[in-house]
Amino acid sequence: MARTPMAHLSPADQERLRALRRMKAVALGALVFMAVAFVVAFAFQERMGWLGYVRAAAEGGMVGALADWFAVTALFRRPLGLPIPHTAIIPSRKDEIGRTLGEFVETNFLAADVVRTKLSTTAIALRGGEWLREEAHAERVGAEGATIATAVLNALSDDDVRDLITDLAREHLVEPEWGPPAGVWLEKIVEADAHHEAVDLAVDNIGRWLEANAESFSGLVSRRLPGWVPKLAHRFVDDTVYNEAIKFVQAVQADPQHPARIAIDGYLSRLADNLQNDPDTRAKLENAKAALFDSPRVGALAAEAWNTAKNGLLTALADPESGLRRRAVRALQEVGERLTTDAALQHRVDTWVSDAAVFLVDRYRHDIASIITDTVERWDPAETTEKIELMVGRDLQYIRLNGTFVGALAGLAIFTLAHALIPGV
């Protein structure tokens, strides 16, 4: 099987490959040593009887080394390229191994009781709060949030947002009838006398305007008088109208029970009733509403408002010292502080995290485990073999080495026991 070129391996895998090759050389060296020892002992054992023990140990060592070499090699490839049954186990059963591994993870790690037990022993809220209350960490979270928000804003289509705003406005503002709700709202205001302050404000503003715009009354009435009326009378009429307007406003300001105030109260009460019960009044309001929202200028203002808001948000999100970013950091730090000091909040957060994790595990554990199965199935058999051999191959070479020494000891023990029990052998 062709190996993955070293240039295509990560630095860690390259180091594992070098360690694997070293251990293979050591294991092979032990086999060669046993073979040399066997040849020497076999050649000279007639002269030196004790070499029989060396020969027995060497025979056992070679058998153990070859057996374990065959076992280890059979995991990854066919020994000597021969089509021996039950060899090249990993490449031939790759998909089954992936499914078994996925089932093992799903059964033993993605179980609700396992997840809940682990999370119940972990102070998630406390640790998160201790981490979050540090300014540097809060700034990091804020920066990541700003990056995500910026990406979302840039990804949004202005036309789509405008259409969405239009649809929402039509669904929640235009299509519902305004008359009855507005009538109920106005009726409650009148009953609570909450409109009196608005009337006072309007009267005060009218009074200030009159005091500052006396010249606006020049000719207001006099220009409608006959030509034969003297000019002096013109001035007198205009001044009289102005002074009466001032007196009227002052009277309304001074008297809470002024007829004008009572008239306003009566008008608002009738309007509230008509908005609820008079079809003509309700129709007029609906027509005015439709004319307002169907106006192109209103749509242009909505688009302009969105563009202004979007540009403002993008500018604030891009500046680490903007008020928005600084307030977000302070808010995150306050959340972290509360998580470290509020035991009740810690319990709620820990419970919520545990419940959420258990829900996700119960609902999606098969899908999560299938990532392992699907990933292994997509791997090339040769690549899979290479990956696994790099991870565990070095340790498996110790099996070969141990097999050599254990075989040597077993051969020596058997030979010694045979000589002890059967003299003359």
Side-chain angles (χ1 to χ4, degrees), residues 333-412:
Q333 287 184 275
E334 290 174 1
V335 171
E337 187 66 30
R338 283 199 60 194
L339 287 173
T340 58
T341 58
D342 190 336
L345 179 61
Q346 291 175 12
H347 177 71
R348 288 198 300 272
V349 172
D350 289 342
T351 301
W352 180 84
V353 172
S354 295
D355 291 343
V358 169
F359 170 79
L360 291 174
V361 165
D362 277 341
R363 188 175 185 121
Y364 299 107
R365 65 178 182 174
H366 181 71
D367 296 324
I368 296 172
S370 68
I371 296 175
I372 299 174
T373 303
D374 296 341
T375 301
V376 174
E377 287 180 352
R378 286 195 299 270
W379 282 351
D380 177 73
E383 180 184 0
T384 304
T385 303
E386 187 74 17
K387 287 178 181 292
I388 297 176
E389 187 174 14
L390 285 177
M391 295 300 299
V392 301
R394 180 174 179 271
D395 294 327
L396 293 178
Q397 299 309 309
Y398 280 103
I399 295 177
R400 293 178 56 190
L401 193 60
N402 293 335
T404 302
F405 293 125
V406 170
L409 292 175
L412 178 61

Side-chain angles (χ1 to χ4, degrees), residues 174-221:
V174 179
E175 293 180 358
E177 189 176 3
W178 283 15
V184 173
W185 175 74
L186 182 58
E187 184 178 37
K188 291 180 178 179
I189 290 177
V190 173
E191 290 176 352
D193 295 333
H195 64 291
H196 287 171
E197 292 184 1
V199 173
D200 291 338
L201 179 61
V203 173
D204 291 342
N205 284 328
I206 293 173
R208 283 193 294 270
W209 184 87
L210 289 173
E211 292 175 359
N213 295 275
E215 67 279 358
S216 298
F217 282 79
S218 297
L220 181 64
V221 177

